[in-house]
Structures are given as structure tokens and as C-alpha cells.
Amino acid sequence: MPPIYEKPSYEKYDYVLIGGGSGGSASSRRAASYGKKVAVVEATPYLGGTCVNIGCVPKKIMWHAADLHEKMTQHASGYKFTGLGTPKFDWAVFKLQRDAYIRKLNGIYASNFEKEHVEFHQGFGNLTSPNTVEVTLPDNKGKYTLHADKICIATGNQPTVPSDEEIPGASLGIASDDFFDLVEQPKRVVVVGAGYIAVELAGIVNALGSETHLIIRGETVLRTFDPAIQEVLTPWMEKTGMNIHKMSKVVRVEGQKGQTLTVHTNKGEKIEVDVLLWAIGRHANTQGMGLEELGVKLDAKGDVVVDEYQNSSVDGVLAIGDVQGKGLVTPVAIAAGQRLSNRLFGPEKFKNDKLSYEDISTVVFAHPPIGTVGLTEPEARKKYGDDAIKIYKSNFRSLYFSMIDEEHKEPTMYKLVCAGPEERVVGVHIIGQGSDEVMQGFGVAVKMKACKQDLDDTVAIHPTSAEELVTLR
């Protein structure tokens, strides 16, 4: 195991980062590649942050398991596979295997630090000046100070959970991060929230056979996404057996942890479940770090306010990733961190390097998956005016489902949002099998400011779902 440092190795570092997640790791390694003295302060024993440990990676692994369960139980018979019996998912054993893979990734992160001469200091970091970070060792076993020319805040965010004062019994539930600590598959689950985390986790347990309830405040899930996505996904989730409680709020929770919970809604419903999972949003990890005392400006949500070059309001203190409230996905933190180190420590050609936060592709691992980039239709109409917008849309089912029973045929919807007389593609919104993989290439096209004619000029790949995006009329 690579070393974990418990004291400074230098009188002064070039760069100290607080947070060893995706952004902190990427930025530190890029800085070290320029020969700089770099240290990362991480409160947990595991590098990789939310994404590696309790986010994207274990979530996608669970999505694969759920997707495979659907294929075996609902699709295989359509392709005339017989003798499969009733597949049973062993959650407990799979958790051990999944966790072992995550520990392997942690080891790779740590090994990369050692190879690239980035110091890993395990402890809680707080700023005592614009050039000093105080490190408190685990279990308060001691403190020491790291001096640096530049300090970067890369502490990410954490789930927001209501207090018992706000909702009596709320603490009987778990946060979305705790989902991966569940040792056994819950038979009955309530997920509260309509965002992508709620949709993904509810989709996983539902596809694996748990009785699943989703409590949302509005009529549809994913309310910040293009309306066409909402209109396709919400009814399909209901069709797959998920119980969606619309226009609803949790008002009280009764029971004891580890036993049956009764979730009461504002509509008078009583839902008995084994697990209540809150997925109602996240907030920045900025508490207790001495930021406000130092003059680092935070917004109303607690995010670090930064300019286009990731500078905070205090000279020499920077912030990247979820803690600064923009582009809350792992690749954004990585890209911003690498560009920041290029600008701070790289050659002259990178002196103005920065990340553009426009047209960032994202996916949602729902069932079926979703891909999106650019402006939604309402956003585009607001920006360019109704007369300047033209919509191209197609609803269909992929060829894969031609052999599958009607009730299990997943929907696919592809939509282009085009603006101006040149019909520049300013938004792509797709849902359906394979949309997560399709999105990456079309994300490049939008970033390059492709127009509808560019897509029309591209010869289709047949038979694929993706070809629909270059044949829309």
C-alpha cells in the first residue's frame, strides 16, 4: 500500500488540495506532472471520492445487474431461450464482489499518487490562511499545517436529508450515499425525490424485483430535463410496476431503524416499507473548513463562488468540482481540475486554460437510459425566441424489442432542438436502449456547433437506433 503521510515533507508546497475525489485527484496529478510539490488532504482512507466509492461506479455496476435481471426475466423468452428457470439475484454476495472492485480502484488511485509523486495526507483539512491548511488526523490523533502557494477546495458535496424537526421521523431513512451499505436487498422501498439520483436508485431496486415507491412533488420525474424525456420516462416507470406517488410529500415517518417503517404522505397515504431513501438533493461540503472566516464567498446554497478560472474571492484559493455548484458530474470536475493545473503550472500555451461549462453531455442510468446535451426546448425558446426554433423528434422502439412481448417493449425517443436559419443543433435529448453510449459522439457534434444539415450529410449506420438522429425529417 502506498504511504499515507502524517506530517509535511516540505516547508512549502506548490499546491495543496483538500479532497481526494475525481477533481482533486485529476488536478493534483496534472500539477505533479509539471514537477510541482503537491499534497492532497482527504478525510477518508479511500481516494476517488463520491464517484468511485458511493456514486457513479457502484451505481453503474448495480444498473448492469438490474438490466441483466430484466433481460433474463422479461426478454430471454422472446428470443426463445428456455430452461432458464427463475433467476435469483444474490444482493449480499454481489455487494461483496462490488465492494472488492471498488477497493481495487482505491488502490489504483493511491498507486498513481505514489508513482506521480502526489502526497496523500489522510485527515480533515481546513484553511487557516490563504496559504495554510491545517490537517487534523483521524480520531483527533494530532494536527499539523501544510504551507502552499495555491490551495484548491475539491471537497464535493453530500446528500441533503430533512431533519426530524422538519419531518418527524425523517432520520429513520437513509441518504442516497448509504444505498451501497445495504447488505440485503430490501423487499419494499420508498425513494423520495424526482431527480436523476432518485430515478436511478428507484429504477435499480424496481428492476431487481423490490416493491418500489417513488414520492415526487410534481407530476413527472426529472423536471429539469427536456419535457419530452419526462413525458416518456414517467409513464414507462409506472408501466414497469413502480408506484409513483405524484404531487406528494412525506409528512411523517414512524417505526424503528432496521424494522418496518410507515411513511405518511400529505395525501393521507400510509406506505409500509423496509427502507426509506432520501434523494432530494445535495449540498456542498464546506462546513467547518474556515472558508467564511477567511473571506471565501459562499452562495446561498453553500457553494464556493468562483469565476471562470475557478478562482474564489480570496487570492490563491481555488475551487473545482461539485463544491462550486456547477456541472455536478465527475467528468466536469476532472476536466476543470486538469485545466486549472495547466493554467497554474503548465507551459505558456496554457496560461488562459479553463473549462467551458456549456454543452456538457450527461446521462441518466434509468430504465431505459437517457442522454442529453445542450438546451432543452423551453430553454432554447427562451434564449432564441419561438420563431427561431425548430424541433425534430421521433418516437420508436429499437430493433432489439421486435422479438419481445409487447408489455416489455421499452420506448425510445430522439429529439433535436435546432436554432436559427442555419438550424444549429443546440440540444439533443434521447431516451432508449443504448442512449448512454450514443450520447458521447453527438455531444462532440453539439460542441462543434454542428447544424442539422451536418447530421443530414452523415450516412446512417444500419440497423441502429443512433441512425435516427441523422435521418430525422
Side-chain angles (χ1 to χ4, degrees):
M1 182 71 181
I4 296 178
Y5 292 78
E6 295 184 340
K7 61 181 181 180
S9 301
Y10 303 100
E11 286 188 11
K12 193 172 190 182
Y13 293 81
D14 297 297
Y15 195 33
V16 169
L17 302 96
I18 305 177
S22 300
S25 296
S27 190
S28 65
R29 292 174 60 193
R30 181 60 57 88
S33 74
Y34 295 124
K36 301 304 177 181
K37 297 188 286 290
V38 182
V40 170
V41 181
E42 165 59 40
T44 75
Y46 304 115
L47 295 170
T50 296
C51 178
V52 168
N53 293 292
I54 47 175
C56 330
V57 177
K59 179 270 305 289
K60 182 68 182 291
I61 290 172
M62 292 300 292
W63 182 88
H64 280 306
D67 183 58
L68 188 58
H69 188 267
E70 287 186 319
K71 283 180 166 63
M72 290 188 292
T73 58
Q74 300 174 7
H75 303 170
S77 61
Y79 281 88
K80 304 311 171 191
F81 284 90
T82 59
L84 296 179
T86 304
K88 184 178 184 301
F89 178 64
D90 193 328
W91 181 296
V93 173
F94 190 70
K95 179 186 185 302
L96 295 174
Q97 180 175 301
R98 186 194 72 216
D99 290 351
Y101 178 71
I102 301 305
R103 294 289 85 85
K104 178 182 175 182
L105 295 182
N106 296 143
I108 292 172
Y109 268 72
S111 295
N112 285 337
F113 271 28
E114 184 180 35
K115 285 188 293 186
E116 298 174 30
H117 306 293
V118 175
E119 293 184 5
F120 172 20
H121 292 253
Q122 186 188 344
F124 184 84
N126 68 288
L127 275 71
T128 50
S129 83
N131 300 107
T132 54
V133 174
E134 181 184 70
V135 181
T136 302
L137 292 169
D139 302 320
N140 284 311
K141 290 181 179 178
K143 296 182 179 182
Y144 59 90
T145 297
L146 303 177
H147 297 261
D149 288 329
K150 302 287 184 183
I151 296 172
C152 182
I153 310 300
T155 48
N157 60 21
Q158 61 180 298
T160 299
V161 175
S163 68
D164 285 338
E165 288 71 33
E166 295 171 299
I167 300 176
S171 61
L172 294 169
I174 64 173
S176 53
D177 286 359
D178 303 319
F179 176 81
F180 301 103
D181 290 331
L182 293 174
V183 175
E184 298 286 347
Q185 179 176 349
K187 291 183 173 61
R188 303 165 299 173
V189 184
V190 161
V191 178
V192 185
Y196 78 92
I197 295 175
V199 165
E200 289 178 335
L201 297 184
I204 288 169
V205 291
N206 185 63
L208 288 173
S210 298
E211 177 190 313
T212 306
H213 299 261
L214 184 64
I215 296 177
I216 63 176
R217 291 181 297 174
E219 290 287 351
T220 62
V221 298
L222 302 179
R223 292 190 300 274
T224 62
F225 285 65
D226 190 272
I229 295 288
Q230 303 173 41
E231 292 160 7
V232 171
L233 181 61
T234 306
W236 179 253
M237 291 173 72
E238 292 179 297
K239 184 175 172 59
T240 63
M242 191 179 301
N243 303 284
I244 301 183
H245 303 259
K246 301 173 182 177
M247 306 298 290
S248 298
K249 297 178 182 179
V250 176
V251 295
R252 188 170 79 258
V253 185
E254 297 174 332
Q256 294 183 355
K257 276 209 171 187
Q259 299 180 21
T260 297
L261 302 177
T262 303
V263 179
H264 298 259
T265 74
N266 60 326
K267 291 188 171 181
E269 294 177 296
K270 298 179 182 179
I271 310 167
E272 291 195 346
V273 293
D274 305 301
V275 169
L276 162 64
L277 190 150
W278 299 102
I280 57 174
R282 297 177 72 88
H283 60 275
N285 286 323
T286 51
Q287 303 80 20
M289 294 181 61
L291 300 181
E292 291 178 288
E293 294 84 344
L294 200 62
V296 175
K297 186 177 179 182
L298 307 180
D299 66 15
K301 296 184 295 181
D303 298 328
V304 178
V305 177
V306 297
D307 65 12
E308 60 185 327
Y309 291 101
Q310 311 297 150
N311 297 303
S312 78
S313 57
V314 173
D315 188 38
V317 178
L318 311 111
I320 56 172
D322 292 355
V323 77
Q324 47 87 69
K326 294 184 295 185
L328 307 181
V329 288
T330 294
V332 170
I334 292 171
Q338 290 171 337
R339 285 162 176 76
L340 173 58
S341 289
N342 286 344
R343 179 175 68 82
L344 294 177
F345 308 113
E348 181 69 14
K349 67 178 181 178
F350 290 135
K351 68 177 182 179
N352 293 314
D353 208 6
K354 63 179 180 179
L355 176 64
S356 167
Y357 285 83
E358 291 185 351
D359 296 331
I360 292 172
S361 302
T362 59
V363 300
V364 179
F365 291 103
H367 299 262
I370 294 162
T372 181
V373 64
L375 301 176
T376 65
E377 181 179 341
E379 289 170 342
R381 291 189 183 281
K382 182 178 180 180
K383 181 174 181 177
Y384 296 103
D386 287 340
D387 293 342
I389 298 301
K390 184 164 185 182
I391 303 299
Y392 296 87
K393 191 174 89 164
S394 176
N395 293 77
F396 61 100
R397 288 162 169 169
S398 72
L399 181 63
Y400 170 83
F401 291 101
S402 63
M403 298 292 107
I404 291 169
D405 290 344
E406 183 67 26
E407 64 177 317
H408 298 309
K409 293 181 187 288
E410 286 183 359
T412 299
M413 185 282 301
Y414 282 7
K415 178 177 180 178
L416 297 177
V417 181
C418 301
E422 73 281 14
E423 292 194 343
R424 182 164 73 85
V425 181
V426 297
V428 179
H429 308 281
I430 61 178
I431 178 171
Q433 186 187 56
S435 292
D436 48 330
E437 298 291 348
V438 170
M439 193 69 249
Q440 188 71 78
F442 285 93
V444 175
V446 173
K447 196 71 175 174
M448 295 178 69
K449 304 189 183 310
C451 296
K452 178 66 167 61
Q453 189 63 49
D454 295 313
L455 301 188
D456 293 343
D457 291 341
T458 302
V459 176
I461 303 170
H462 184 75
T464 64
S465 292
E467 69 180 298
E468 196 76 11
L469 285 173
V470 299
T471 57
L472 284 170
R473 296 177 63 84

